[in-house]
């Protein structure tokens, strides 16, 4: 006799008894309680129904022919498909040994015959709820384990689960790829002995050891690790302690091979060095270009004191040729020769400092002295452009940390552009050079001209390489200026003043400000670069 009595899919209850009358009583008791009821009158059929439908509760008679309830229960618990079913034994036997045997075989409960309807209903309801919750929990755990497995399998970093002694209890596929061996070959190995040749020299100093034994998280980069074939590779790892409550149970280690990453970093460093060399060379070329453009004016500047020296020398010779020379006048003439020689020397000094390729880099310097030196150097251009330069520096301007050669190159470039722009507008107003402290604690240098102003698309084009508004020129001045100022940790830009013309500015960090590194210099001024 095998029959499906009810089709309620919520909870399935299997009734097993060789007595039709007992089955009828059980059925009548449970038929209106919302269960899906299955009926079997002997053991083999009960096992078949249980395997196919996996009921939550099985009401199982003990005393049956051929196969008794104990054997049915034993076989149910041995089958993974039915091992979680709640087996409630039914028997007229009321001795303790019978109950103990039933529980030892995996039985969940015991109902004595004759049945009490309320007892049967209550016990079935309780066990059905427990089994349903257990199955939902198991399904959720399987789902989570599946998600966890998929996540771990998709991660490109190697992952180990270690016990407190460093034994590898878990390894994901990526760990096998990095180690160049099957994952199963890693399980059971000692992490320290596998990955570090110095493991026999004492464990405490090894990576991850403090995590396994003391619960201290670690994160290190460029650690040399070994593979099972004894080849080595540079690695980065993070280790996190495994805790169960207050107890430490080892560590989880995430690691990766950074061989390619280190090679890329080295290549990037080499590329940066090459770019910096090219940038310095371009800046030096730009200074030489500027010097070439100023050559005629500079020659005139140098020629003036040399001509004066020659004239004073001829006067001195004539004075000395007389019988009683006026020594006072002769002394004054010689003093003038000395003064003019100092003037020529100063001009040459400025030229040498400007065209010199920097070798010392950043230093602490007085910006006011540097700008005054630049203004004097630009006087050649001022006279050539029939213009003038006014310098206004805020009192007590702090020293800055920068490369004096490169800063002077930027300032001179902006001043020369401003002189040319002012002349093109036929303005007699001087170029205004100023320096002040900004609200964020840096120093800002401004160069304002009185030219025709900047085009509407200046923001997009002005600092692009090889873009120029001049009839002659390569368009490398402002892009080079931006590169030089950014190398100092500053910014460069421009504004459109209300009175017309243009105002270019650049900023520099104050010496000793956060983010700067103080460097010693000879005298704190521009001369330290010569």
């Amino acid at each position: 006799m095998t029959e499906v009595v009810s089709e309620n899919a919520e909870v399935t209850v299997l009734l097993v008894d060789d007595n039709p009358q007992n089955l009828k009583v059980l059925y009548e008791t449970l038929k209106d309680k919302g269960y899906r009821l299955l009926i079997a009158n002997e053991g083999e059929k009960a096992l078949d129904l249980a395997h196919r439908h996996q009921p939550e509760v099985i009401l199982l008679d003990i005393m049956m022919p051929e196969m008794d309830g104990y054997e049915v229960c034993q076989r149910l618990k041995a089958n993974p498909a039915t091992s979680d079913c709640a087996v409630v034994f039914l028997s007229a036997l009321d001795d303790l040994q019978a109950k103990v045997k039933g529980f030892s075989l995996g039985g969940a409960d015991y109902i004595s015959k004759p049945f009490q309807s309320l007892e049967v209903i209550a016990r079935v309801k309780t066990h059905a709820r427990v089994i349903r919750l257990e199955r939902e929990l198991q399904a959720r755990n399987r789902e989570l384990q599946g998600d966890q497995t998929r996540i771990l399998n998709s991660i490109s970093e190697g992952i180990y689960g270690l016990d407190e002694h460093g034994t590898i209890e878990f390894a994901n596929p990526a760990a096998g790829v990095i180690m160049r061996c099957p994952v199963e070959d890693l399980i059971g190995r000692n992490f320290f002995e596998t990955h570090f040749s110095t493991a026999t020299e004492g464990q405490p100093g090894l990576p991850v050891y403090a995590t396994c034994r003391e619960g201290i998280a670690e994160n290190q980069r460029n650690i040399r690790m070994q593979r099972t074939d004894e080849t080595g590779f540079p690695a980065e790892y993070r280790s996190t302690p495994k805790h169960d409550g207050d107890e430490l149970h080892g560590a989880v280690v995430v690691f990766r091979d950074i061989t390619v990453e280190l090679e890329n970093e080295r290549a990037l460093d080499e590329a940066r060095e090459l770019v910096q060399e090219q940038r310095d060379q371009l800046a030096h070329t730009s200074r030489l270009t500027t010097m070439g453009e100023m050559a005629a004016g500079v020659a005139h500047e140098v020629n003036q004191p040399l001509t004066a020296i020659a004239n004073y020398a001829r006067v001195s010779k004539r004075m000395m040729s007389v019988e009683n020379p006026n020594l006072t006048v002769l002394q004054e003439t010689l003093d003038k020769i000395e003064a003019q020689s100092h003037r020529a020397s100063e001009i040459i000094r400025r030229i040498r400092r400007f065209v010199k390729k920097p070798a010392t880099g950043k230093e602490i310097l007085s910006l006011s002295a540097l700008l005054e030196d630049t203004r004097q150097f630009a006087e050649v251009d001022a006279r050539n452009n029939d213009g003038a330069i006014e310098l206004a520096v805020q009192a007590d301007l702090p020293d800055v940390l920068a490369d004096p050669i490169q800063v002077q190159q930027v300032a001179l470039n902006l001043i020369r552009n401003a002189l040319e722009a002012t002349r093109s507008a036929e303005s007699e107003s001087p170029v205004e050079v100023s320096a002040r402290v900004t609200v964020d604690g840096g120093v800002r240098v401004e160069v304002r001209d009185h030219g025709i102003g900047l085009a509407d698309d200046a923001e997009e084009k002005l600092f692009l390489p090889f873009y120029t508004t001049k009839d002659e020129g390569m368009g490398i001045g402002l892009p080079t200026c931006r590169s030089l100022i950014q190398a100092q940790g500053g910014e460069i830009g421009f504004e459109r003043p209300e009175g017309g013309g243009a105002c270019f500015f650049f900023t520099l960090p104050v010496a000793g400000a956060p983010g700067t590194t103080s460097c010693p210099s000879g005298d704190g001024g521009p001369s330290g670069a010569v």
Side-chain angles (χ1 to χ4, degrees):
M1 176 181 178
T2 303
E3 181 181 357
V4 177
V5 181
S6 176
E7 289 299 327
N8 189 308
E10 287 298 318
V11 173
T12 299
V13 179
L14 174 59
L15 310 177
V16 186
D17 199 312
D18 63 329
N19 188 326
Q21 185 62 35
N22 288 341
L23 288 177
K24 182 178 180 181
V25 172
L26 292 172
Y27 164 69
E28 294 293 336
T29 301
L30 299 173
K31 69 175 183 178
D32 296 326
K33 306 307 176 185
Y35 301 123
R36 178 173 180 253
L37 300 177
L38 306 176
I39 293 177
N41 61 353
E42 49 97 9
E44 286 291 348
K45 292 178 180 178
L47 291 172
D48 179 64
L49 281 175
H51 182 75
R52 287 192 286 120
H53 299 283
Q54 297 172 13
E56 279 78 8
V57 180
I58 300 176
L59 299 181
L60 178 60
D61 184 29
I62 293 179
M63 305 300 293
M64 293 189 298
E66 297 183 9
M67 184 187 300
D68 63 15
Y70 294 134
E71 184 178 351
V72 172
C73 179
Q74 189 174 22
R75 292 175 61 177
L76 285 171
K77 295 302 177 181
N79 187 342
T82 57
S83 61
D84 66 338
C85 299
V87 176
V88 179
F89 284 111
L90 307 172
S91 179
L93 299 176
D94 199 24
D95 64 285
L96 180 61
Q97 293 299 323
K99 292 182 179 180
V100 170
K101 182 178 180 180
F103 288 132
S104 67
L105 293 173
D109 208 344
Y110 209 102
I111 298 177
S112 299
K113 297 178 181 179
F115 311 128
Q116 299 295 322
S117 297
L118 294 179
E119 181 184 8
V120 172
I121 293 170
R123 292 181 185 268
V124 169
K125 181 178 180 180
T126 297
H127 290 295
R129 182 186 299 113
V130 170
I131 297 301
R132 177 66 76 180
L133 291 174
E134 287 180 352
R135 288 182 176 179
E136 289 177 356
L137 180 60
Q138 291 172 358
R140 181 57 179 160
N141 285 339
R142 287 192 295 271
E143 181 181 346
L144 292 174
Q145 289 174 356
D147 291 342
Q148 183 184 47
T149 300
R150 285 190 292 274
I151 291 171
L152 292 176
N153 289 346
S154 66
I155 292 175
S156 60
E157 297 175 314
I159 300 177
Y160 285 144
L162 310 180
D163 67 11
E164 62 272 20
H165 302 292
T167 302
I168 300 174
E169 299 178 324
F170 167 83
N172 72 332
V177 172
I178 296 173
M179 293 294 291
R180 300 175 184 171
C181 72
V183 170
E184 52 268 24
D185 290 353
L186 296 172
I187 306 301
R189 283 177 170 267
N190 182 272
F191 171 81
F192 306 109
E193 295 175 358
T194 300
H195 286 294
F196 304 104
S197 59
T198 58
T200 56
E201 298 176 6
Q203 309 284 58
L206 294 175
V208 186
Y209 185 85
T211 307
C212 288
R213 291 301 183 89
E214 302 174 29
I216 301 173
E218 298 180 19
N219 185 357
Q220 294 193 57
R221 190 172 188 272
N222 204 4
I223 296 297
R224 193 74 181 174
M225 295 179 67
Q226 286 189 163
R227 297 186 176 92
T228 54
D229 59 3
E230 297 186 355
T231 60
F233 64 96
E236 178 180 19
Y237 79 89
R238 301 184 303 278
S239 60
T240 305
K242 289 193 304 183
H243 287 287
D244 184 3
D246 294 332
E247 294 184 6
L248 178 64
H249 290 277
V252 174
V253 181
V254 180
F255 68 100
R256 60 192 182 97
D257 185 344
I258 59 172
T259 301
V260 175
E261 186 176 313
L262 292 178
E263 291 174 353
N264 291 338
E265 288 177 0
R266 284 193 291 268
L268 182 59
D269 289 340
E270 291 173 0
R272 284 174 177 160
E273 291 177 1
L274 178 60
V275 168
Q276 186 60 46
E277 290 177 5
Q278 293 175 341
R279 179 182 293 150
D280 292 342
Q281 187 62 40
L282 180 59
H284 186 57
T285 302
S286 176
R287 286 197 297 278
L288 294 178
T289 301
T290 300
M291 199 66 250
E293 294 172 354
M294 299 174 65
V298 170
H300 178 70
E301 281 289 301
V302 176
N303 191 54
Q304 281 185 334
L306 293 179
T307 300
I309 290 172
N311 291 334
Y312 288 137
R314 284 193 292 270
V315 170
S316 298
K317 289 173 66 177
R318 286 198 301 267
M319 293 176 64
M320 293 175 66
S321 65
V322 301
E323 186 175 347
N324 294 310
N326 188 330
L327 296 181
T328 301
V329 175
L330 181 60
Q331 179 66 42
E332 292 175 354
T333 304
L334 292 175
D335 288 342
K336 290 177 181 180
I337 291 176
E338 183 182 13
Q340 291 299 323
S341 67
H342 285 314
R343 179 183 172 191
S345 176
E346 180 65 17
I347 294 171
I348 298 301
R349 185 183 69 84
R350 293 192 191 119
I351 294 173
R352 287 183 58 203
R353 186 168 66 245
F354 181 70
V355 300
K356 179 182 177 182
K357 188 171 183 178
T360 57
K362 297 180 182 180
E363 59 187 62
I364 298 174
L365 57 95
S366 168
L367 190 58
S368 58
L370 183 70
L371 292 176
E372 173 58 29
D373 198 45
T374 306
R375 185 194 67 78
Q376 294 179 20
F377 194 33
E379 287 292 343
V380 176
D381 261 292
R383 285 192 287 273
N384 290 341
N385 286 281
D386 298 322
I389 305 170
E390 286 187 356
L391 178 61
V393 178
Q394 177 182 319
D396 300 325
L397 192 70
D399 291 343
V400 298
L401 181 66
D403 185 317
I405 301 295
Q406 295 185 355
V407 173
Q408 187 177 56
Q409 179 176 351
V410 174
L412 182 61
N413 191 297
L414 296 181
I415 291 172
R416 295 183 69 239
N417 287 347
L419 287 168
E420 293 175 7
T422 301
R423 183 191 63 181
S424 65
E426 299 181 354
S427 173
E428 297 181 357
S429 300
V431 169
E432 301 166 12
V433 181
S434 62
R436 59 181 173 82
V437 178
T438 61
V439 293
D440 58 359
V443 173
R444 173 172 165 136
V445 177
E446 296 180 354
V447 179
R448 180 181 177 181
D449 64 52
H450 294 275
I452 60 175
L454 299 171
D456 293 337
D457 61 352
E459 286 85 354
E460 301 176 1
K461 297 181 178 180
L462 205 54
F463 287 95
L464 292 177
F466 308 112
Y467 172 77
T468 179
T469 59
K470 300 178 183 179
D471 295 334
E472 298 180 357
M474 297 177 59
I476 63 173
L478 288 177
T480 301
C481 288
R482 180 170 64 177
S483 176
L484 296 179
I485 291 300
Q486 288 176 345
Q488 314 306 314
E491 298 178 354
I492 189 169
F494 63 88
E495 297 171 348
R496 295 183 174 86
E498 292 183 2
C503 177
F504 283 82
F505 67 87
F506 62 88
T507 63
L508 295 171
V510 172
T516 65
T517 303
S518 298
C519 303
S521 63
D523 58 3
S527 60
V530 178

